[in-house]
Structure formats: structure tokens, C-alpha cells
Amino acid sequence: MTHTPVLSIILAAGKGTRMCSKLPKPMHRLAHRSILGHVLATVRKAGHKKIAVVIGPDMDHLAEEAHSHAANCIICVQANRLGTANAVLSAQNVLAEHTGDVFVLFADTPLLRPETLINASAMLNKGANLVVMGFETNNPKGYGRLVIDSQGNLAAIREHSEATLQEQTIRICNSGVMAFRCSNFIAMLNQIDNNNIKQEYYLTDIVEVAHRHKLSCSVLLCDEEELLGINDRVQLAVAESKFQNQARNAAMYSGATLIDPSTVWFAYDTTLGQDVIVEPNVFFGPGVNIADGTHIRANCYIEGTIIGSGSCIGPYARLRPGAKLGTDVNIGNFVEVKNTIIGDNVKANHLSYLGDGTIGSGANIGAGTIFCNYDGFNKHSTVIGEKSFIGSNTSLVAPIQIGSGAIIGSGSVITRSVPDNALAIERNRQVHKKIWANKFRTLISRKR
Ligand code: UD1
Ligand code: MG
């Protein structure tokens, strides 16, 4: 954690033209969280208490998104998109009141780690006035280049479009993430001009301004992957795949077995306990928490679900938001569970829809059981008592309660609540017509 108060300014006002999208670039999602959400989570984990997000004048949704991840963040509006230095100046009021370190981050670098921000703070503590987080790459096209002098100090940052052919050969690039400890930061920003091809105020020019003020500028060299900037959908897909690999490795290093890791898809917040086994082709949406020793068999789609230990899910199960499963639960093929609390040792092994319900521990849900929860207007709940037995192909028309230990005869359409330990059966009595089948066959063969 950093020791001086830190203000993080996140620039998110750019048009994101290269995304070719109606959605602002920072709203695009990576592992079910917006790119901006990832950046905000990183600065919060690094202990930055004050956060300002710079958005464009027509970006109310982005402001809402920012507040949903950091309720106290301050929204600053950049009236005209005149470049990254101008974007930072849009937070001038916040800057004027702030006395500690300042970090500037872009809302398009979602893989940045909090540890890197903490390392940059350590460099400020050791005497640097400006720290630029950079990376070395074999494909520097489009990035600003870090011009480093013979003493190893950062002399300038040259945007790709402004760089000489010689400077274009530099492979150390600017990530856009910078840390500042300088009392006259606002004055320095105001000294940046727009005498360049794009006629923009480039934040990167602050390095040369800092030199004029005799301030020391350093580079914190980081992993290329961590500082990947997303400007188009190809880079979004690259970032997604890198995030997924990191999540898969983290799950395996903490004790889960992924039989074919590249086919298991994580959300930003998926947690798997020790000795969880995940078979191929499993997709986790947000809000999934799986306890120790649970086995997720192939081809499951699981979101917003908590699963207790020792359970077995799938193959081909769909667990939707609000599913809360106890320990040693079995959910089998083609079973869909939504907003339903399932007690310990419950078995629902085949072909069922369990929505808006509560199932007591030890209950057995037969194949083809349907909770008829929706009447076209409202959702209603189904409550099943402990150790009850629901026969196959039963429709439970909610609202309804099945007592504990009750048995429901298969094929029933149950519309009234059933007492504890009762048998409920709702179907016509079976009729046998003796030797009718023989007569029928004889009749048919004569006609032929
Ligand atoms: C920028 C850097 C480049 C660096 C690269 C790393 C500058 C001038 N260039 O280039 O050195 O190598 O990032 O990914 O800083 N933004 C605003 N207002 C504006 C313009 C941009 O808020 O007027 C925001 C954008 O929303 C984005 C960030 O600033 O989050 C960077 O803008 P972008 O257009 O992506 O810059 P790059 O061309 O990637
Ligand atoms: Mg960019």
C-alpha cells in the first residue's frame, strides 16, 4: 500500500473510433466486467482512495458504470476531446485541491496489476518526480516511444505519428500509465502545446516539460501483456484471451483441476475451491462460487450461482442467477436451476426446470419435473420439504408447497399444496381391456 494520499485520474473521454461501436470503448466487457471496471478495481486494490474519471459530454452511461464500481469517484467532463493532456486538465478542480501523488491511467488498459502501481509509488518514494510505466515489444507500431538518454533517464516520449524513422526503431513503449510527485503539475500541463500533426495536447509531452523544470523522469518497465492497450476489437479479443489464461492458471495454482483449460471460460470474479474438477467446455458467468471437491462435468453454463462442497453438476446443466446449492447436491443433464435454494444431498438428475423455489435437504426430484413458476404476469414460488420424492414428469403449479417426506406420483399436475408424508397423485386411473391388442392386430391384418 502507498503511504502518501494518491489521486488517480482515469481518462475515458476518447471517442474510441477504432472500436467501430455505439458503445463507449471503456464500456466494452472483458470477462463480464467493463474495461473501466477492471481499471477501477486495480486502482482501488492499489489503495488509491481518491479517483477521478474523465468522460466525454455525451457519456452518462459511462458515469453510471464508473459509480457502480467506485461509488465515491468524481466524474469530470472533458468538453472537447483535445488530447490526453487536455483530458487531465478537465480534472483541474480535483487536482487543485490535492496535495499528494497523482496517477494518470487510461480506461483502455484492463490487465494492469495493482502491484505495478504500488511499485511506481515506491519509485516516487525513492526520489523520482515522474514515473512512466513502459514495456518492450516487437510490435511497437501505434504506441508512443520512450526516448531514454545515456544515463538511463527518460528524456522524452515520442508519439508514433511524430517519431523520426530513427525513433520509430525504439521498441520500448509508453503504456499511458504515469505517476507524478510534483507540486506544479497543473502549471506543467498548461505548458503543453498542440504543435503536432494531430493538433492534440499530448500528455506524453509532459516529460520534456518536466526536464525544463529539472525534475527527474524514470521508466518502470513492465510486462507487455499487462500493459496491452485496447483500441480495436482484435485487441479486445487478445486481452480477453490473456485474462482467461491468467484466470485458468490462478484456479489451477490454487488447487482446481481443469481437464482442458482452454475450454473453460471464467468471469472476473469466479472462485473455485480446492479439488474442484472442471471437465471441458464449461462457461462461468459472473457471481460463481464453487466450494471444495465439487465436480463440474462437461458442457455446463453456470452464472450467479453458489455451489456447496462435494456436489456434482452436469453434464449439460444450466445454473442461472440466484441458484444456491448446498453440499453433496447432484444436478444432472439438461436440468435448469434459477433463483432456487437447494438443500444438502438433493438429487435432480435429469431434464428439469427448477425456478423460484426452495428444495429441502435429501429431496429427490424426478426426471422431467417442472416448477410452473410463471402465469404470464408474475413469478410464484415452489417449496419442497425435506426428503420428499417428486415422481418423474411432474408439474408443480406455483405457488405451491410440498410437505416434507411427501411423495408425488409421476405424471401428476399438482395445483394444491401437499401435507407432510402424504402421497399426492393426479392422473386418470389406468384401464386394461383384455386381449384388445390381439383383436386389433387381427382386424388390421384382414383389412390389408
Ligand atoms: C496513447 C498514448 C501513447 C501510448 C498509448 C498506450 C498519448 C498522446 N498517447 O495513445 O503514447 O503508447 O496510449 O496505449 O497519450 N482520451 C481522453 N480524451 C482525449 C483523448 C483520449 O480522455 O481527448 C482517453 C481515451 O479515452 C483513452 C486514453 O485517453 O482511454 C488514451 O487515448 P487513445 O486514443 O487510446 O490513445 P492511444 O492512441 O492509444
Ligand atoms: Mg489507446
Side-chain angles (χ1 to χ4, degrees):
M1 289 286 164
T2 49
H3 298 292
T4 50
V6 176
L7 164 66
S8 259
I9 302 177
I10 300 171
L11 306 190
K15 280 214 165 93
T17 325
R18 289 165 277 180
M19 294 298 282
C20 304
S21 175
K22 292 195 172 72
L23 204 62
K25 178 167 72 174
M27 296 279 282
H28 284 262
R29 297 173 93 73
L30 198 80
H32 296 272
R33 177 161 66 180
S34 66
I35 303 174
L36 177 62
H38 283 274
V39 178
L40 285 167
T42 299
V43 296
R44 294 185 65 182
K45 276 192 204 147
H48 297 189
K49 295 274 182 297
K50 242 192 210 172
I51 303 170
V53 180
V54 178
I55 63 169
D58 42 8
M59 291 180 162
D60 293 347
H61 289 324
L62 195 54
E64 278 168 31
E65 179 68 17
H67 280 134
S68 75
H69 294 281
N72 296 331
C73 72
I74 303 157
I75 301 294
C76 305
V77 176
Q78 184 187 19
N80 298 300
R81 290 161 173 106
L82 300 177
T84 43
N86 177 262
V88 178
L89 274 171
S90 311
Q92 198 169 155
N93 291 344
V94 186
L95 276 168
E97 286 174 0
H98 179 72
T99 48
D101 297 341
V102 177
F103 277 64
V104 175
L105 300 96
F106 293 167
D108 69 358
T109 44
L111 301 180
L112 179 70
R113 293 174 313 128
E115 293 80 3
T116 301
L117 299 181
I118 292 166
N119 290 343
S121 288
M123 289 172 74
L124 295 178
N125 288 339
K126 282 190 190 148
N129 297 111
L130 194 170
V131 178
V132 173
M133 275 138 268
F135 59 94
E136 195 166 356
T137 176
N138 290 327
N139 187 16
K141 195 164 175 248
Y143 286 113
R145 307 299 208 283
L146 301 188
V147 181
I148 294 170
D149 68 18
S150 51
Q151 277 93 55
N153 297 315
L154 180 64
I157 305 177
R158 200 73 70 224
E159 284 308 291
H160 183 89
S161 49
E162 309 289 328
T164 61
L165 286 177
Q166 172 67 24
E167 285 166 340
Q168 281 183 22
T169 62
I170 299 173
R171 288 166 47 234
I172 299 179
C173 295
N174 171 32
S175 69
V177 188
M178 296 187 195
F180 302 90
R181 183 174 288 180
C182 30
S183 50
N184 51 351
F185 185 45
I186 299 178
M188 284 164 50
L189 285 170
N190 278 311
Q191 285 166 28
I192 294 172
D193 63 34
N194 66 347
N195 292 331
N196 52 55
I197 292 169
K198 290 192 186 164
Q199 293 192 305
E200 280 188 12
Y201 296 88
Y202 291 152
L203 178 61
T204 43
D205 286 348
I206 201 156
V207 174
E208 281 158 303
V209 177
H211 276 291
R212 292 207 291 274
H213 286 261
K214 308 261 180 287
L215 298 177
S216 76
C217 303
S218 309
V219 174
L220 173 57
L221 212 53
C222 308
D223 190 33
E224 177 182 0
E225 179 168 313
E226 181 183 352
L227 295 178
L228 177 76
I230 296 176
N231 297 303
D232 56 40
R233 306 224 189 201
V234 173
Q235 285 169 329
L236 179 64
V238 171
E240 177 76 48
S241 92
K242 292 193 184 302
F243 182 96
Q244 291 300 332
N245 282 336
Q246 288 170 10
R248 290 162 188 150
N249 289 345
M252 290 188 284
Y253 283 127
S254 56
T257 294
L258 310 185
I259 290 172
D260 184 1
S262 66
T263 66
V264 178
W265 289 81
F266 284 79
Y268 69 95
D269 60 350
T270 309
T271 60
L272 304 185
Q274 222 178 15
D275 298 314
V276 166
I277 298 174
V278 185
E279 291 184 8
N281 298 324
V282 171
F283 193 94
F284 295 117
V288 174
N289 189 327
I290 300 179
D292 295 352
T294 280
H295 190 156
I296 310 292
R297 301 180 70 191
N299 300 305
C300 290
Y301 194 112
I302 302 176
E303 56 186 324
T305 292
I306 295 170
I307 305 177
S309 59
S311 296
C312 184
I313 311 297
Y316 295 100
R318 179 162 184 219
L319 304 182
R320 293 171 53 200
K324 193 160 181 272
L325 281 50
T327 60
D328 301 309
V329 169
N330 278 16
I331 298 291
N333 34 239
F334 306 107
V335 174
E336 175 179 350
V337 182
K338 185 218 58 168
N339 189 31
T340 291
I341 297 170
I342 297 186
D344 301 342
N345 298 299
V346 166
K347 289 187 173 56
N349 278 333
H350 334 263
L351 300 157
S352 292
Y353 172 61
L354 313 173
D356 300 312
T358 303
I359 304 176
S361 56
N364 191 310
I365 309 295
T369 297
I370 304 293
F371 288 9
C372 308
N373 62 328
Y374 186 49
D375 58 14
F377 298 94
N378 294 304
K379 300 280 169 72
H380 302 282
S381 68
T382 298
V383 178
I384 294 181
E386 287 181 10
K387 296 190 176 144
S388 58
F389 182 97
I390 312 297
S392 298
N393 202 25
T394 293
S395 298
L396 299 170
V397 182
I400 198 143
Q401 294 195 11
I402 309 298
S404 52
I407 296 178
I408 310 295
S410 61
S412 298
V413 177
I414 301 295
T415 53
R416 286 186 293 127
S417 290
V418 178
D420 291 352
N421 300 310
L423 165 70
I425 185 158
E426 193 282 330
R427 60 183 184 228
N428 286 339
R429 276 197 179 279
Q430 190 166 321
V431 175
H432 290 182
K433 297 190 177 177
K434 286 192 180 158
I435 62 165
W436 185 94
N438 271 349
K439 286 183 190 164
F440 175 70
R441 279 190 287 269
T442 312
L443 189 73
I444 296 288
S445 57
R446 267 194 211 136
K447 279 191 180 166
R448 279 188 182 158

